[in-house]
Amino acid sequence: MTNLLLVGLILVLALAGGHLVKVLRVPEVVGYFFVGLFLGPSFSNILDHDAVTTLEVFSEIALGLILFSIGSIFEFDNLRKVGKRSLELTGYVMAGTIAIVTLALLLVGSDWRVALLLGTIATEISPIATILVLREMRSSGPLTDSVNNLLALNNVGCLAVFGVATFLVRLIGGGDAGTSFLSFFGREFFLLVWGLVGSVALGVILGYLLAAWGSRVDEHGEVLILVLGMILLAVGASHLLGLSSLIATMTLGATLINLARESRHLFDVLGKTDPPLYAIFFVLAGAHLEVESLKVIGVAGIAYTIARMLGKIIGAWIGASRLGYPDVVRNYLGVSLVAHAGVAIGLALQLKSIFPEVADTISAIILGSVLINEVAGPMLTKLAIGRAGERHVEPHHGAFEEI
Amino acid sequence: MNLKNLAHNWRYHLIILAAAVLTIVVGGYIRRSISGNEKSENSLLRTLQTEVQQLRSTLRRNELKTIQQDVAELAMGVQPRVVSIVGAKESRRPIVTLTDALPESRRVSIRDERPGGSGLLLDTEGHILTSAGVAEDPSGFIVRFGDGTERPARLLATDPAERLALLKLDRIDGLPAAAPLNAPAPPQIGGWLVRLGRGADGRNSLSMGLLTTIRKDLSGEEVYAIDAQFAPELDGGPAIDLDGGIVGINIAHGGGVTIPVDRVIRAIDRLRSRAAKSPRSAIGIELQDLTGEMKKMLSVEHGALVTRVLPEGPAAEAGIEPMDAIIFTGQEPVNSAAALLERIHAAVPGSALQLTVLRSGTTRTIEVRTVQQSSADRAGRIQPDSEFGLSLFRQRDPDGVRIVAVEPASPADRLGLRAGDRILSVNGRQIRGFAEFQRASTEPVQLWLVRRGDQTFGITIRQEGANR
């Protein structure tokens, strides 16, 4: 089957799947995901491993777009208002997640390295799944704002704690044979800092370019070309330089919003163009996973999945209470943050080259858990937003109603 | 800190941008120098090495598989000609149990098959070449082919110098094809050779190795030493090269060597001529088994009755007469007429035989010097009549003449005669044996009385010529 045929099939089936699950009041993204599972190796194998690898570029673009828009949260005005509190809230949620997941895994008898690394991977929250649910519901309110802010900060924080955790594990577990401790330490430390600082710097540079150029472009089509081009530049350059494309694209968005207040329309342009990419993203995410992985998830995997959910809820509860957030945030923030996705898988895969001895265990747990959370996460987010009363669209609003 | 104010200062933008560019340039450079290259190249190299290794082991495995298949195919070309040879001596051995000796009826006949060895079918006449060590059993051999068929065989000749022996199969129908041996290019030292054999159970057996060296044996002739395991089954089997040509015959003697094929070919010629010339002795008598009644009358337990003494034969000269009963040769009791004949034939021509003869109640020992049997005699007592298609038992017989064989589609066959029938009378004249039949059956039209089993019937024979 040719790739274009596949893309067409993905888009059409994704739409059908999205509509189908809407009837069940389930977020569209879950429908996309199920379509992916169906097309993937678990069932029909129309999207085999090769096809998924080839089409992966669409997922990269989708992820770049969503993080670019998340970056707009880092507007200075917004930061000044909520920056410190958001940062602290993020800290609570992350700390709660790391602590509870690591502890739970240690309790079920996992290796300490596996427990610690999984604890940090657990902090990951799928920005794209969560944001798309918020968009689908056109929600607004204190909970929505908190989720948005938290996603942006969590995104950086997650990569940072994961980097630190791998660094620590390697440090305690001993470096590679034949390298002195100092050079090993120096190299690891550099890579950790480079991954964060370099990504930000890349985003800043491209952000300046985009802002300078964008102020001279008004026409809708040209704006789209420019923004998409810059985002892809950010993603591609990150790969080339060994940086985080997530942080780079997010910084790109943040830099732009702060340099050019009038650039809001650039973000709006994207919001009208990107849904097909997100559909492809979720279908591919589904095709990536195999239902078989649930069979090997094991006790540790179940412990991980439950502990992660509890960690988010408890961390958010304590944080929101202490920082004086409204009750809706305290009650529903943690539940909104359960979505878990591709980035977590990416982190788990990174471990393969670093800790081959534990990577397989971690991969198995993450793959199974992501499969559960990719379905449960968006549904819980939708439930939480609905309970919080921040939905601004009727649940059955959509194509079916309009026909 | 008022970020808004800062943002309006162009130096602020310049510093941020410069810092970012500097970070990327310096960081990218450091990363490249400390890890990027080394890491990616290392992992790439490692992947490449693993792949190369996997490829190599796959190739090696494939190569071995090819060799295995080639050897199997190679062996298949010669294997059907390779036979297993075991001594045919039958021994009655009781089954030994812990409790009791078994009653006679429960004893079973066990063919006492000694390990034996292998042989090579030389031609479609049923000649089989083997090692002299395999052909030691004088009682005959059982030859087993790869298709599971068994045929009895007897020893024709042995060449003790070459340690080779020639056997001949008793039945030669349905033999596998066998081309005569010819000498291929002599194998090079270091060349691969395959030894073939057949186990007593009929299974193929082979070993493979290098031609290690070519040695001289005690007789000063060349033998091949092959670095291939020697098993008892391989004794007497051929060794082939990678072209499938037979390069020699394996001999267990001397630690398992291989006699080169050119030597083998010469030895076969010698063995064949020796077998052809192998002299048989005769003393000029015709014999018959003693019936139970005769034994009672003569009060002997064993022996053979002399029915005819050829005039001027050694027996006649020594004074043996018809109706003598020969009961011993030397110290050996005579159990049957056939056994006595066999013993006479086996004696070296010119040697003396001590025959103990019972005549009118007294025994005497008569010494008879044997003579070489003439080729006419050797044709045997059974002669087929090519025209009429009857083979008759050439013996004196009070009960007519026995038909030994009937040639298919011959006049005799068309008349309905069968092997085992007895011709009792010709034109009313009673027949007592072959000689009388010959004399009686000279007339052009004859009426034969023939007995088959319990029934007797008559047939008419018309002859064109004077002699049937």
Side-chain angles (χ1 to χ4, degrees):
Chain A
M1 208 176 285
T2 66
N3 289 332
L4 286 180
L5 192 61
L6 278 180
V7 174
L9 200 64
I10 288 171
L11 288 174
V12 172
L13 288 180
L15 186 67
H19 279 181
L20 234 100
V21 296
K22 250 187 193 170
V23 175
L24 308 169
R25 306 196 183 187
V26 170
E28 282 172 322
V29 291
V30 176
Y32 301 163
F33 182 75
F34 274 126
V35 169
L37 271 184
F38 170 73
L39 290 176
S42 308
F43 297 101
S44 63
N45 203 23
I46 293 169
L47 274 175
D48 55 13
H49 182 74
D50 287 349
V52 170
T53 314
T54 315
L55 299 179
E56 199 72 336
V57 64
F58 287 107
S59 299
E60 298 255 9
I61 300 171
L63 211 54
L65 289 177
I66 208 85
L67 282 151
F68 175 73
S69 66
I70 290 177
S72 68
I73 286 160
F74 291 103
E75 195 185 359
F76 283 140
D77 282 346
N78 186 32
L79 276 187
R80 201 167 36 217
K81 270 189 283 176
V82 299
K84 191 160 172 284
R85 273 172 89 204
S86 291
L87 200 65
E88 284 179 59
L89 185 62
T90 308
Y92 274 107
V93 174
M94 287 178 64
T97 309
I98 296 174
I100 291 178
V101 170
T102 307
L103 214 66
L105 286 170
L106 286 176
L107 278 178
V108 298
S110 295
D111 185 89
W112 69 270
R113 294 175 297 178
V114 174
L116 184 62
L117 290 169
L118 277 174
T120 55
I121 294 176
T123 60
E124 195 269 345
I125 302 164
S126 170
I128 191 159
T130 314
I131 293 274
L132 285 185
V133 173
L134 298 183
R135 279 195 194 175
E136 188 189 343
M137 303 183 78
R138 299 185 198 175
S139 69
S140 65
L143 177 59
T144 307
D145 290 342
S146 304
V147 170
N148 272 324
N149 292 336
L150 203 132
L151 279 177
L153 293 169
N154 183 78
N155 191 39
V156 182
C158 161
L159 294 181
V161 292
F162 177 73
V164 172
T166 48
F167 180 57
L168 280 177
V169 169
R170 291 189 82 171
L171 208 61
I172 298 168
D176 299 340
T179 48
S180 75
F181 176 77
L182 208 66
S183 80
F184 166 73
F185 182 88
R187 205 178 81 180
E188 292 303 308
F189 188 72
F190 168 79
L191 287 175
L192 176 61
V193 172
W194 167 247
L196 299 173
V197 175
S199 306
V200 171
L202 179 66
V204 167
I205 295 170
L206 292 173
Y208 268 93
L209 251 166
L210 178 56
W213 203 337
S215 62
R216 282 164 188 79
V217 174
D218 288 324
E219 206 254 315
H220 172 86
E222 289 185 349
V223 171
L224 190 60
I225 293 175
L226 181 63
V227 173
L228 201 59
M230 281 301 168
I231 292 172
L232 293 190
L233 272 180
V235 174
S238 304
H239 286 320
L240 189 70
L241 294 167
L243 297 171
S244 157
S245 63
L246 304 180
I247 296 179
T249 45
M250 202 165 71
T251 316
L252 177 65
T255 310
L256 180 67
I257 197 85
N258 285 307
L259 288 177
R261 192 67 53 80
E262 69 282 4
S263 64
R264 277 267 167 227
H265 74 280
L266 293 185
F267 293 94
D268 296 340
V269 162
L270 283 180
K272 287 177 186 132
T273 323
D274 52 13
L277 286 172
Y278 299 142
I280 295 177
F281 177 90
F282 278 100
V283 172
L284 288 182
H288 241 305
L289 297 173
E290 293 184 29
V291 176
E292 291 285 303
S293 63
L294 285 180
K295 286 187 191 158
V296 296
I297 187 168
V299 180
I302 293 163
Y304 171 85
T305 309
I306 295 170
R308 179 171 172 276
M309 247 179 246
L310 283 179
K312 302 252 184 254
I313 293 168
I314 293 170
W317 182 285
I318 295 173
S321 308
R322 285 208 161 186
L323 299 166
Y325 275 91
D327 281 357
V328 282
V329 175
R330 190 193 66 195
N331 292 343
Y332 296 118
L333 179 62
V335 182
S336 313
L337 302 175
V338 171
H340 201 24
V343 177
I345 296 174
L347 296 179
L349 290 182
Q350 261 184 37
L351 294 176
K352 246 178 193 151
S353 58
I354 316 175
F355 309 112
E357 66 273 19
V358 298
D360 284 342
T361 322
I362 291 179
S363 287
I365 292 172
I366 292 292
L367 285 174
S369 174
V370 163
L371 184 55
I372 296 170
N373 283 315
E374 195 84 284
V375 177
M379 290 166 74
L380 287 173
T381 306
K382 184 169 182 174
L383 193 75
I385 299 286
R387 284 287 181 86
E390 299 190 358
R391 171 191 293 141
H392 286 267
V393 66
E394 285 305 305
H396 280 286
H397 176 83
F400 286 115
E401 296 290 305
E402 283 163 20
I403 287 169
Chain B
M1 179 171 68
N2 191 338
L3 292 169
K4 268 277 145 56
N5 287 350
L6 262 179
H8 288 298
N9 189 338
W10 64 271
R11 283 200 202 105
Y12 159 79
H13 290 294
L14 200 67
I15 290 167
I16 289 185
L17 194 56
V21 171
L22 196 70
T23 307
I24 291 293
V25 170
V26 175
Y29 177 77
I30 297 176
R31 178 181 164 274
R32 229 183 124 117
S33 60
I34 67 160
S35 67
N37 272 349
E38 166 203 349
K39 211 170 186 173
S40 65
E41 272 176 24
N42 266 0
S43 69
L44 199 70
L45 209 65
R46 227 171 292 144
T47 322
L48 211 64
Q49 276 171 343
T50 341
E51 273 175 17
V52 165
Q53 225 146 30
Q54 280 169 348
L55 206 65
R56 263 197 211 141
S57 69
T58 311
L59 279 178
R60 241 195 322 264
R61 222 177 6 252
N62 284 349
E63 229 167 282
L64 287 178
K65 272 185 193 157
T66 315
I67 292 176
Q68 176 186 316
Q69 204 176 342
D70 285 352
V71 170
E73 272 171 18
L74 208 61
M76 210 121 65
V78 183
Q79 205 70 265
R81 295 174 61 183
V82 180
V83 296
S84 123
I85 299 172
V86 290
K89 197 174 77 190
E90 274 195 335
S91 67
R92 284 179 77 84
R93 290 190 303 198
I95 295 171
V96 179
T97 65
L98 290 174
T99 53
D100 206 348
L102 285 158
E104 189 69 24
S105 63
R106 302 249 333 248
R107 291 185 178 174
V108 291
S109 162
I110 298 168
R111 187 175 282 162
D112 179 22
E113 288 185 345
R114 294 184 302 161
S118 295
L120 178 70
L121 182 69
L122 290 176
D123 49 34
T124 46
E125 290 158 37
H127 287 102
I128 286 174
L129 183 69
T130 182
S131 112
V134 173
E136 265 168 4
D137 196 322
S139 57
F141 303 93
I142 302 287
V143 169
R144 192 165 294 158
F145 286 76
D147 57 7
T149 55
E150 274 181 21
R151 291 177 175 81
R154 61 197 152 83
L155 178 66
L156 281 188
T158 307
D159 190 337
E162 299 285 37
R163 305 206 157 266
L164 290 172
L166 197 62
L167 307 188
K168 183 145 181 353
L169 293 173
D170 288 352
R171 288 190 295 112
I172 58 167
D173 49 302
L175 285 182
L181 289 184
N182 51 7
Q188 301 293 310
I189 288 175
W192 287 100
L193 296 178
V194 182
R195 283 177 161 156
L196 300 177
R198 189 171 298 290
D201 54 1
R203 229 172 275 176
N204 290 342
S205 132
L206 69 79
S207 71
M208 184 170 177
L210 298 176
L211 173 54
T212 314
T213 181
I214 299 177
R215 284 200 292 263
K216 292 262 163 65
D217 66 4
L218 288 176
S219 61
E221 298 244 40
E222 283 180 350
V223 288
Y224 298 148
I226 304 174
D227 176 28
Q229 201 205 340
F230 201 97
E233 305 92 279
L234 296 173
D235 189 11
I240 61 175
D241 60 15
L242 291 189
D243 296 321
I246 295 171
V247 297
I249 296 291
N250 304 317
I251 302 291
H253 182 82
V257 294
T258 299
I259 311 271
V261 69
D262 49 350
R263 258 179 88 180
V264 170
I265 290 169
R266 275 182 272 135
I268 290 172
D269 289 341
R270 276 201 301 278
L271 285 167
R272 276 182 197 271
S273 63
R274 198 172 301 174
K277 276 187 266 169
S278 166
R280 285 170 71 165
S281 290
I283 56 171
I285 50 171
E286 282 184 13
L287 294 166
Q288 178 191 323
D289 283 341
L290 287 178
T291 61
E293 227 155 305
M294 288 177 181
K295 283 178 189 166
K296 229 179 272 172
M297 254 170 63
L298 299 173
S299 50
V300 290
E301 279 162 10
H302 49 78
L305 189 69
V306 177
T307 52
R308 183 174 165 218
V309 179
L310 294 181
E312 292 164 28
E317 277 172 24
I320 291 180
E321 293 171 7
M323 298 315 285
D324 282 355
I326 301 175
I327 51 178
F328 281 98
T329 52
Q331 305 300 318
E332 298 276 308
V334 172
N335 287 319
S336 68
L340 176 56
L341 271 181
E342 195 68 33
R343 229 171 273 164
I344 294 167
H345 288 158
V348 178
S351 63
L353 279 178
Q354 304 291 334
L355 301 178
T356 306
V357 172
L358 179 70
R359 184 187 297 160
S360 6
T362 55
T363 56
R364 66 196 72 189
T365 301
I366 299 174
E367 190 183 272
V368 185
R369 197 161 288 277
T370 65
V371 295
Q372 191 168 330
Q373 195 178 33
S374 68
S375 57
D377 291 340
R378 286 197 61 190
R381 295 172 297 171
I382 300 160
Q383 252 180 351
D385 181 331
S386 56
E387 270 177 57
F388 194 61
L390 270 191
S391 298
L392 298 172
F393 200 61
R394 299 196 164 196
Q395 201 178 33
R396 195 177 289 201
D397 191 339
D399 209 3
V401 61
R402 188 156 59 88
I403 299 175
V404 176
V406 179
E407 229 178 282
S410 65
D413 189 27
R414 282 197 291 276
L415 281 168
L417 292 169
R418 296 281 174 271
D421 292 353
R422 280 176 186 276
I423 304 164
L424 300 179
S425 71
V426 174
N427 288 346
R429 271 179 69 182
Q430 205 186 342
I431 303 295
R432 285 181 295 269
F434 181 68
E436 283 195 12
F437 172 77
Q438 247 181 337
R439 281 194 291 277
S441 59
T442 51
E443 288 161 47
V445 180
Q446 300 162 22
L447 178 66
W448 292 5
L449 193 62
V450 179
R451 197 176 73 201
R452 178 179 302 163
D454 295 338
Q455 65 181 129
T456 310
F457 55 91
I459 54 171
T460 5
I461 315 285
R462 285 169 207 283
Q463 291 190 108
E464 271 88 46
N467 189 22
R468 266 198 311 272

